[in-house]
């Protein structure tokens, strides 16, 4: 038995499924998850000492790679001065100012400890601001595990949803309408029927939790127009896309101004941190200024803020996103070309530093299309890559991430490994 397998057996005795977040368990691809001992730059080492080039990057946060020296130093220095105060600090004001400066739609921002907290709070705020209960989300988009968001489509067209998790009250799920991603007409129909009672639309402006699905520009534009028309709050959930797809996040890339935005992952530089913010008139409804309650003992934690500050400063270096975008595109173009040469039904695409690989002839544009891709082919490819020392997300329904630490040689080695796997069939 490998050390990974031993640890997995041991973990399962005390931690449900052996993991502290379900996709880590490798259920989708099979086999024992890799327990990591160490990471540096683009590489990670597992409990058996095997080295991998990592394309998960802690599911997105590690845009500078593992154990970035500047980030680690800043966290160490912050730790020496105190781990938490439960009182304001200068550094969190600096981070808030940076966020507001980089993302023009955000006039005010509040820091929290995770992406889930950010989206839950933004939804409550949208409901409190509008005095309405209904929310609209899109199938396949993930917005953390808040009750109102763990909802699947109802049985009829434009009917409200059912819980997608046990423990979510049906009474709550019935306020969530689940529509198809990239379906602007579906959204128009929903607003025609439910516009008066809809508090908000929440969307991943580039979907990254059903593999990567790129938005059709008319979809995001229709969303902005309909929310304005009907007095609903448009929430861009940029927990994954924030500072990942470009310097102004997805809203900068596509030129759409949401009312509220949520952040996580990259903004915490690998430490637990989230943020939500947006229009001043909406943000002023939060306690202690307004009637919408939201709080957190560790919110604005000094270690997380220190990591976030360094990360946001480093990604502002001239050409940072041009280089990251080009590198990620080289990877997906190389993979797609190799597959084509070998006659494998495969496609790939990227947006900034995130990418999707699909065992489908063309990149999917909806949840239904991604579900129709060849999951078994992905699983075989995943395990062959893993054996070869390349760590991809352990599911056909997750996006991948490239960091600034990945070298051209790392990318070339990854393409060469995939080519050999495609060639072997
Ligand atoms: C990861 C993610 C979340 C949840 O963030 P956590 O920090 O895991 O709670 C929410 N929305 C999107 C788009 C995400 O990718």
């Amino acid at each position: 038995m490998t050390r990974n397998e031993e640890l997995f057996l041991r973990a399962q005795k005390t931690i449900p499924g052996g993991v502290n977040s379900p996709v880590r368990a490798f259920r989708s691809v099979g086999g024992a998850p890799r327990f990591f001992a160490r990471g540096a730059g683009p590489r990670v080492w597992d409990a058996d000492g095997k080295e991998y080039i990592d394309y998960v990057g802690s599911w997105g946060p590690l845009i500078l790679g593992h154990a970035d020296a500047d980030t680690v130093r800043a966290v160490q220095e912050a730790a020496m001065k105190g781990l938490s105060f439960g009182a304001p600090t200068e550094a969190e004001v600096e981070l808030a100012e940076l966020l507001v400066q980089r993302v023009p739609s955000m006039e005010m921002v509040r820091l929290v400890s995770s992406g889930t907290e950010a989206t839950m709070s933004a939804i409550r705020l949208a409901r409190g601001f509008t005095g309405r209960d209904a929310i609209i989300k899109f199938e396949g988009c993930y917005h953390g595990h808040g009750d109102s968001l763990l909802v699947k489509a109802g049985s009829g067209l434009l009917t409200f949803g059912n819980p997608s998790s046990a423990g979510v009250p049906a009474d709550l799920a019935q306020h969530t309408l689940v529509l198809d991603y990239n379906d602007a007409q579906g959204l128009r129909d929903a607003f025609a029927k439910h516009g008066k009672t809809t508090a908000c639309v929440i969307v991943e402006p580039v979907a990254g939790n059903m593999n990567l699905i790129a938005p059709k520009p008319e979809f995001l534009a229709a969303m902005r127009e309909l929310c304005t028309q009907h007095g609903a709050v448009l929430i861009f959930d940029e927990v994954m896309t924030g500072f990942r797809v470009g310097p102004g996040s997805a809203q900068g890339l596509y030129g759409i101004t949401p009312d509220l935005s949520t952040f996580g992952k990259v903004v915490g530089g690998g430490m637990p941190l989230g943020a939500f913010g947006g229009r001043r008139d909406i943000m002023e409804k939060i306690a202690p200024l307004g009637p919408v309650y939201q709080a957190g003992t560790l919110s604005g934690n000094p270690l997380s803020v220190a990591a976030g500050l360094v990360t946001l400063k480093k990604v502002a270096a001239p050409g940072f996103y041009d280089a990251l975008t080009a590198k990620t595109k080289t990877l997906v173009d190389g993979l797609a070309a190799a597959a084509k040469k070998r006659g494998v039904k495969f496609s790939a695409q990227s947006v900034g530093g995130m990418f999707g690989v699909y065992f489908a002839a063309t990149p999917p544009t909806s949840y239904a299309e991604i579900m129709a891709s060849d999951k078994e082919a992905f699983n075989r490819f995943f395990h062959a890559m893993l054996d070869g020392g390349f760590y991809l997300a352990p599911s056909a329904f997750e996006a991948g991430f490239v960091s600034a630490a990945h070298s051209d040689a790392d990318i070339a080695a990854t393409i060469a490994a995939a080519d050999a796997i495609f060639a072997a069939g």
Side-chain angles (χ1 to χ4, degrees), residues 49-123:
K50 185 175 165 70
E51 177 181 319
Y52 305 85
I53 295 180
D54 178 24
Y55 289 102
V56 178
S58 189
W59 300 96
L62 301 181
I63 198 162
L64 303 174
H66 289 270
D68 171 66
D70 299 316
T71 309
V72 170
R73 195 175 315 114
V75 170
Q76 283 171 335
E77 281 167 11
M80 297 298 282
K81 295 187 211 152
L83 298 179
S84 177
F85 302 105
T89 61
E90 183 172 346
E92 68 194 306
V93 184
E94 198 191 330
L95 182 57
E97 287 168 352
L98 257 189
L99 287 168
V100 164
Q101 190 190 324
R102 299 276 177 86
V103 184
S105 73
M106 295 217 292
E107 295 173 328
M108 298 187 97
V109 61
R110 182 160 274 181
L111 303 181
V112 294
S113 298
S114 71
T116 294
E117 258 192 281
T119 54
M120 275 172 33
S121 307
I123 297 267

Side-chain angles (χ1 to χ4, degrees), residues 21 59 113-119 141-145 203-206 208-209 237-241 262-265 273-274 401:
S21 196
W59 300 96
S113 298
S114 71
T116 294
E117 258 192 281
T119 54
C141 284
Y142 176 68
H143 304 292
H145 62 89
V203 68
E204 287 183 71
V206 178
N209 285 285
D237 179 358
E238 299 233 39
V239 171
M240 184 182 287
T241 53
T262 56
F263 291 86
K265 301 197 168 109
L273 187 110
F401 304 96

